[in-house]
Amino acid sequence: MIVDCAIYREGQRADGPEDLSDALAEARSVGGFVWIGLHAPSEEEFDLVAEEFALHPLAVEDALKAHQRPKLEVYDDSLFLVLKPVVYEPRSDTVSTGEIMVFLGDGFVVTVRHGEGAPLKTVRRRLEEEPTLLGKGPTSVLYAVADGVVDHYLEVATELQTDLEELEAEVFSPVDGGSRHTASRIYNFKRQVLEFRRATGPLALPLARLSGTGGASGGSVPFVNDKARPFFRDVNDHLTRVNESVEGLDRLVSDILSAHLAQMSVRQNDDMRKISAWAAMAAVPTMIAGVYGMNFEHMPELRWTWSYPAVIALMAALEVLLYRTFKSRGWL
């Protein structure tokens, strides 16, 4: 469905015509550009847009099917950029991703959004409040969309860092070192970091191309104003910070999982030592009682009046000796 359609000239908005076939012609006639926003369009709806703006069939297929990785494709009549906005749900501590596809061409911008996260109304409103930036043409829309997505990455990275600190405090708690469900929480957190990385990692190369810092691939990109490179470099710097943060989160959560498993192993060893110590203490009186329970006729001190209290005293003395020995070695 078409969420919004407007023509922009010198940074000012004018509502687009009802018939899409007139939108591009009208925008070019006034020296401006048309920006059409769609949300999860059907194939029939998008065919009208694709035909009007001569969008490449491969890019159209990607925009309809979604589930693409971040990438930048250059075609004869347009530029195609895929972004994956990230949404963090604090109640369930989960990260989910949507998709934004941007078609950029001579006098037009078409944005296609899939998923509920990262609506573009905020981006459009912010751009319309900055007519100087919006007056730079379609490139300003591409920059604003990329900047909005990457800035939200920073917010999600901060939320994940807070969750990781809480998880770390739980693992290294002096009380019990984490519950039995801690390992599953750590593993689930690692999955969220992996989902986040799938959105941020592949975006580095497209932004490097747009900012002109991509080495051999960092030449001029068609349909993008070269004067916008400093803006894209700023977005790329923010993305670099995000990717460094994601790398740090991934390493830390792996270290925390290793520390948790090591703590579990140490606790199990302590438990086994305690069990072994108590078993050894129980074995001594059992052995003595077993010997005196064999009912032999000729046994040492068998008919002595003080045999029973003497054997009990011997058992108690041996128990005390074993207890103090195990206690001094830290087994109890």
Side-chain angles (χ1 to χ4, degrees):
M1 57 178 290
I2 296 179
V3 178
D4 200 349
C5 175
I7 293 175
Y8 297 91
R9 179 177 180 269
E10 297 180 354
Q12 300 300 321
R13 174 187 173 118
D15 290 335
E18 295 182 2
D19 191 350
L20 282 180
S21 61
D22 299 330
L24 183 57
E26 183 175 334
R28 287 175 176 173
S29 67
V30 297
F33 69 94
V34 59
W35 179 4
I36 298 177
L38 302 99
H39 178 229
S42 65
E43 186 173 352
E44 293 76 13
E45 292 171 335
F46 199 63
D47 282 345
L48 299 175
V49 178
E51 182 179 356
E52 173 63 22
F53 297 103
L55 304 180
H56 197 279
L58 291 178
V60 170
E61 181 182 358
D62 288 345
L64 288 173
K65 290 185 176 180
H67 303 295
Q68 305 295 315
R69 68 195 305 268
K71 62 180 179 178
L72 177 66
E73 299 286 353
V74 178
Y75 299 103
D76 293 336
D77 299 318
S78 62
L79 186 75
F80 180 59
L81 176 66
V82 178
L83 301 161
K84 293 184 76 69
V86 171
V87 178
Y88 175 78
E89 177 53 54
R91 292 183 179 180
S92 58
D93 295 334
T94 56
V95 171
S96 59
T97 57
E99 288 190 47
I100 294 177
M101 286 83 167
V102 182
F103 293 88
L104 191 73
D106 183 17
F108 72 88
V109 179
V110 177
T111 54
V112 182
R113 181 169 63 89
H114 292 272
E116 297 301 323
L120 295 178
K121 284 185 178 180
T122 306
V123 176
R124 190 185 288 262
R125 189 182 309 115
R126 182 166 66 89
L127 268 178
E128 291 175 354
E129 293 173 354
E130 300 182 31
T132 303
L133 178 60
L134 190 57
K136 302 297 183 182
T139 302
S140 64
V141 177
L142 185 67
Y143 158 72
V145 173
D147 185 55
V149 170
V150 173
D151 281 349
H152 192 62
Y153 286 165
L154 291 170
E155 298 175 10
V156 174
T158 302
E159 294 285 351
L160 289 176
Q161 181 66 43
T162 302
D163 284 351
L164 182 61
E165 291 173 358
E166 294 176 357
L167 194 58
E168 187 176 20
E170 178 182 337
V171 169
F172 294 102
S173 170
V175 179
D176 58 358
S179 65
R180 60 181 181 178
H181 301 296
T182 301
S184 62
R185 286 192 59 199
I186 296 174
Y187 181 73
N188 181 65
F189 185 87
K190 194 172 181 65
R191 287 183 62 89
Q192 307 314 313
V193 173
L194 177 61
E195 185 71 16
F196 193 21
R197 172 182 281 180
R198 288 173 178 168
T200 63
L203 186 57
L205 182 57
L207 284 182
R209 292 180 62 187
L210 291 171
S211 62
T213 59
S217 60
S220 179
V221 179
F223 310 107
V224 176
N225 193 331
D226 288 341
K227 294 182 180 180
R229 285 189 172 188
F231 295 93
F232 285 109
R233 278 199 294 269
D234 180 66
V235 178
N236 194 31
D237 288 342
H238 290 176
L239 181 65
T240 301
R241 287 173 51 194
V242 171
N243 283 328
E244 289 175 351
S245 178
V246 172
E247 288 290 337
L249 288 172
D250 188 55
R251 287 195 299 269
L252 278 175
V253 73
S254 296
D255 292 341
I256 289 174
L257 179 58
S258 298
H260 175 67
L261 295 177
Q263 284 185 327
M264 293 291 291
S265 178
V266 169
R267 284 200 296 270
Q268 288 176 353
N269 289 336
D270 288 342
D271 292 341
M272 288 302 298
R273 284 190 299 181
K274 290 179 181 180
I275 293 173
S276 300
W278 287 111
M281 292 173 62
V284 171
T286 301
M287 178 188 67
I288 296 175
V291 171
Y292 275 86
M294 290 190 225
N295 297 321
F296 290 122
E297 184 68 27
H298 302 286
M299 293 184 66
E301 312 299 342
L302 186 62
R303 300 186 181 278
W304 184 38
T305 304
W306 298 99
S307 295
Y308 180 75
V311 170
I312 296 298
L314 177 62
M315 290 182 182
L318 290 175
E319 290 295 299
V320 171
L321 178 62
L322 287 174
Y323 179 82
R324 295 185 63 179
T325 301
F326 292 142
K327 189 72 173 178
S328 64
R329 295 183 179 182
W331 285 33
L332 292 175

